[in-house]
Amino acid sequence: AQSVTQPDIHITVSEGASLELRCNYSYGATPYLFWYVQSPGQGLQLLLKYFSGDTLVQGIKGFEAEFKRSQSSFNLRKPSVHWSDAAEYFCAVGAVTGFQKLVFGTGTRLLVSP
Amino acid sequence: DAGVTQSPTHLIKTRGQQVTLRCSPKSGHDTVSWYQQALGQGPQFIFQYYEEEERQRGNFPDRFSGHQFPNYSSELNVNALLLGDSALYLCASSSLREGRETQYFGPGTRLLVL
């Protein structure tokens, strides 16, 4: 069965500093991997996704993520955080075949300090 | 191009009542998935509809049922509401043509059960 672990419940970063959010997954093969962002009271917006190929994927809003098969990780990074990045971030895994259901982690809440 | 839309945005019900939530998928999408997001948690997969049939189901009781219409829109019905059904209900759409892996989420319906 698929599962996702986001070990950090909250992270506080100063504006302009770099950011890394951790995600570890469990799946029997190479999965589809996603990062979504959720602002308060809103739905989920897709930041980026990994299916195959280059293990460093670029997303919207200056985010990137790196797939590391050996560590079963898909960490999200941003070189310089803006106050508007404060939100909840969810990592998700999907099966490669068949109809898709996404399995989400419990999320990491990002706080940005001035 | 309209994205995924959901109605209503908020809903208050009492225990034992029934509720119907509605979702219109993104233009060109034929598959609709429903997720439940309890406060402080990641979304949990409820079920997925394609060609008006339920294709996958998560670990939710039969009180949760759904329907997909010929125009691809969908409804989620919950009977005999419990306090624990209070949550944000998210609809996501995807398309076989684009690759069903990528799901686009609506803003959600926030359900409060008193």
Side-chain angles (χ1 to χ4, degrees), chain A residues 6-70:
Chain A
Q6 294 181 248
D8 304 306
I9 298 174
H10 297 99
I11 281 186
T12 300
V13 174
S14 299
E15 190 168 15
S18 63
L19 168 71
E20 182 168 22
L21 302 182
R22 296 184 291 166
C23 172
N24 291 97
Y25 69 90
S26 174
Y27 185 66
T30 300
Y32 292 133
L33 294 162
F34 307 84
W35 276 99
Y36 285 87
V37 61
Q38 186 176 39
S39 298
Q42 302 297 312
L44 301 174
Q45 181 182 21
L46 179 66
L47 284 176
L48 47 79
K49 57 190 178 185
Y50 173 77
F51 291 163
S52 64
D54 192 348
T55 56
L56 185 63
V57 294
Q58 303 296 320
I60 62 172
K61 303 185 179 185
F63 286 92
E64 66 179 26
E66 186 172 12
F67 169 63
K68 292 186 177 180
R69 184 192 306 273
S70 61

Side-chain angles (χ1 to χ4, degrees), chain B:
Chain B
D1 179 21
V4 179
T5 60
Q6 293 186 243
S7 64
T9 56
H10 296 82
L11 206 50
I12 300 175
K13 292 286 188 179
T14 57
R15 280 178 297 174
Q17 286 189 310
Q18 180 265 344
V19 69
T20 297
L21 311 182
R22 296 176 176 82
C23 171
S24 291
K26 191 172 183 287
S27 177
H29 284 188
D30 54 18
T31 304
V32 173
S33 304
W34 287 92
Y35 292 81
Q36 180 196 65
Q37 186 180 17
L39 200 61
Q41 300 297 315
Q44 299 284 320
F45 176 77
I46 302 174
F47 43 53
Q48 184 178 75
Y49 278 84
Y50 172 69
E51 291 188 331
E52 303 179 49
E53 289 190 16
E54 183 183 292
R55 300 293 177 165
Q56 276 204 91
R57 188 178 182 92
N59 189 25
F60 279 80
D62 291 345
R63 298 187 297 109
F64 290 76
S65 63
H67 188 77
Q68 185 179 34
F69 299 93
N71 67 353
Y72 308 118
S73 68
S74 177
E75 288 181 349
L76 163 66
N77 301 291
V78 187
N79 294 322
L81 284 167
L82 304 174
L83 296 181
D85 295 331
S86 295
L88 180 68
Y89 288 85
L90 295 164
C91 170
S93 73
S94 57
S95 125
L96 176 61
R97 179 173 52 85
E98 292 180 13
R100 205 180 273 113
E101 309 83 17
T102 304
Q103 297 184 18
Y104 295 87
F105 284 79
T109 294
R110 189 164 296 282
L111 172 64
L112 178 61
V113 182
L114 302 176

Side-chain angles (χ1 to χ4, degrees), chain A residues 65-104:
Chain A
E66 186 172 12
F67 169 63
K68 292 186 177 180
R69 184 192 306 273
S70 61
Q71 298 176 19
S72 297
S73 69
F74 188 58
N75 294 349
L76 182 71
R77 301 194 295 247
K78 186 171 185 178
S80 177
V81 168
H82 188 263
W83 63 267
S84 60
D85 293 324
E88 186 104 27
Y89 291 80
F90 292 95
C91 181
V93 61
V96 172
T97 59
F99 286 92
Q100 281 293 310
K101 72 171 187 180
L102 295 180
V103 175
F104 286 85

